[in-house]
Amino acid sequence: MTTQVTDHRGGVWSIAVPIPDNPLGHTLVHLLETDRGPVLIDTGWDDPDSWDTLVAGVTACGFAVADLHGVLITHHHPDHHGLSAKVREASGAWIAMHAADAAVVRRTREAEPGRWLDYLLAKLTAAGAPEDHLTPLREARAGGRGRRLPGRRAALPDRGIEPGELLDLPGRRLRAIWTPGHTPGHVCLHLEERHPVLEPAGAEAGAAGPGAGRGAGGGTAGGRGRLFSGDHLLPGITPHIGLYEDPDEREATDPLGDYLDSLERIGRLAPAEVLPAHQHAFTDAEGRVGELIAHHEERLSGLRALLREPRTPWQLAVAMEWNRPWDRIPYGSRNIAVSEAEAHLRRLVKLGHAERVPGSDPATYRAV
């Protein structure tokens, strides 16, 4: 087993924790040294090899798992939150998460077996999914396979992460920023400390203010700290933006609108460097934010053109451009694609650029 650990200086490390059978490859779990002991930002997928890699990585950073003081979760997805229970059991560390994602964890743990499959069947039927896609779900429901769905053993957090709060980490200034979109409770964590590497040449310690100097790629050198961005801001891929799946939700949410608003706030923050949960660290957060906003604007424009011909959400997903042809998209990923199509539809409807065809069943939409 090879453990990839990167020292980002200033008491910050990243550990590449593998995600089994996933093209992303790994989650970058960050370790932050504090005066009370090290704290993890995310933990990785719940898998024996992933656990061994995390333990070896913590050791390579100069600590033992038993030394861990706390765990900060950017969002509830299993490649970020999966190992949290094992970390807490091994160290006694607390686990913190935004309330909106903690509610998702609690709802998933408490759901009756099969309830999620019932909900998924109803959603896909309403979206216009064909019978050959629904049949395996009906068979899974009839066979009682809802008990094995992921997330039913996810750890409940011990404390919340309040938007805007300066977290209780002695010796560090880490502020929570609520960035919904990828999940309802996603948070980025802003280390409000001068970057230990991206300093202006010849600057004296403490001499430069937040606006002083420019770092590589356009980020402010040192003065606006570093951002642990989770999945919100990634250097080369766009995070999935789908519907916030809540069977009890009565009010239609707008995840894409939430995401775009959150991106703009992070762009204004202009951190010197971004430490994401996938791929690699990068500078020029403002430039990357601009690219992502332009991508979604282009995608919305393209979907509006597709809706000149009325389509169901399923038909829209089939017609959209993905990273591979529709017939090569795995079965489960098609559900994710339809969720993303629906999130974009909701945004178009909210903007007044699309509407539901009156009386259509399954729901069919057209451009306005």
Side-chain angles (χ1 to χ4, degrees):
M1 179 185 66
T2 301
T3 304
Q4 182 183 339
V5 174
T6 302
D7 184 353
H8 296 281
R9 308 283 291 276
V12 177
W13 292 263
S14 63
I15 305 165
V17 177
I19 311 172
D21 303 317
N22 190 294
L24 281 174
H26 57 259
T27 300
L28 292 174
V29 172
H30 290 92
L31 185 148
L32 178 67
E33 189 175 5
T34 80
D35 289 348
R36 199 174 290 163
V39 168
L40 292 183
I41 298 173
D42 293 334
T43 58
W45 191 277
D46 185 5
D47 175 81
D49 288 342
S50 303
W51 171 251
D52 290 345
T53 301
L54 179 64
V55 171
V58 171
T59 301
C61 294
F63 304 98
V65 168
D67 298 330
L68 293 170
H69 169 59
V71 175
L72 297 164
I73 299 299
T74 61
H75 62 295
H76 71 83
H77 287 165
D79 56 322
H80 297 258
H81 182 43
L83 285 171
S84 299
K86 285 189 176 181
V87 170
R88 181 167 59 191
E89 181 180 351
S91 65
W94 45 259
I95 301 171
M97 180 186 291
H98 186 280
D101 271 21
V104 176
V105 173
R106 187 171 294 105
R107 184 172 65 241
T108 303
R109 286 171 56 100
E110 296 174 354
E112 291 296 321
R115 185 172 182 229
W116 171 250
L117 287 175
D118 288 339
Y119 176 68
L120 188 57
L121 274 164
K123 288 286 293 181
L124 288 169
T125 300
E131 189 58 35
D132 63 351
H133 187 83
L134 298 174
T135 296
L137 291 172
R138 298 191 204 282
E139 293 173 349
R141 181 67 181 91
R145 295 201 288 274
R147 296 177 184 273
R148 296 197 295 271
L149 290 173
R152 292 182 58 81
R153 296 183 302 168
L156 286 170
D158 305 292
R159 57 180 71 177
I161 295 178
E162 295 294 329
E165 77 168 319
L166 197 62
L167 300 172
D168 181 20
L169 301 176
R172 310 309 300 242
R173 287 187 59 85
L174 189 68
R175 192 175 301 278
I177 304 171
W178 184 34
T179 50
H182 184 54
T183 71
H186 192 290
V187 294
C188 292
L189 301 164
H190 184 209
L191 191 58
E192 297 178 342
E193 301 169 13
R194 181 169 290 281
H195 197 294
V197 178
L198 298 181
E199 290 289 341
E204 296 180 6
R214 301 293 295 178
T220 303
R224 291 189 182 174
R226 291 179 275 185
L227 184 77
F228 300 99
S229 66
D231 281 1
H232 183 68
L233 192 61
L234 302 168
I237 55 178
T238 58
H240 166 66
I241 307 297
L243 299 184
Y244 297 147
E245 304 289 3
D246 181 353
D248 298 322
E249 188 67 59
R250 294 292 178 264
E251 182 178 348
T253 56
D254 180 18
L256 182 55
D258 291 343
Y259 180 64
L260 294 173
D261 288 345
S262 300
L263 275 178
E264 290 181 352
R265 285 190 281 111
I266 293 301
R268 290 192 296 269
L269 183 67
E273 187 178 29
V274 179
L275 303 176
H278 301 289
Q279 298 190 298
H280 54 82
F282 63 101
T283 56
D284 193 14
E286 297 163 279
R288 183 58 181 149
V289 164
E291 291 173 355
L292 287 167
I293 291 174
H295 163 77
H296 284 288
E297 288 177 347
E298 181 179 349
R299 200 158 179 80
L300 287 169
S301 178
L303 297 190
R304 191 179 182 190
L306 287 173
L307 289 172
R308 291 171 187 158
E309 173 189 334
R311 301 176 192 261
T312 65
W314 181 274
Q315 291 169 335
L316 186 62
V318 172
M320 290 168 68
E321 290 188 14
W322 304 101
N323 60 2
R324 69 190 85 177
W326 183 260
D327 59 7
R328 289 173 50 199
I329 295 178
Y331 178 90
S333 297
R334 293 185 180 189
N335 297 336
I336 295 172
V338 173
S339 180
E340 188 157 326
E342 289 191 286
H344 283 75
L345 265 175
R346 285 193 183 177
R347 187 67 187 152
L348 286 171
V349 170
K350 187 168 185 178
L351 293 171
H353 296 327
E355 65 180 5
R356 181 172 177 172
V357 176
S360 58
D361 185 19
T364 303
Y365 294 81
R366 63 190 177 196
V368 175

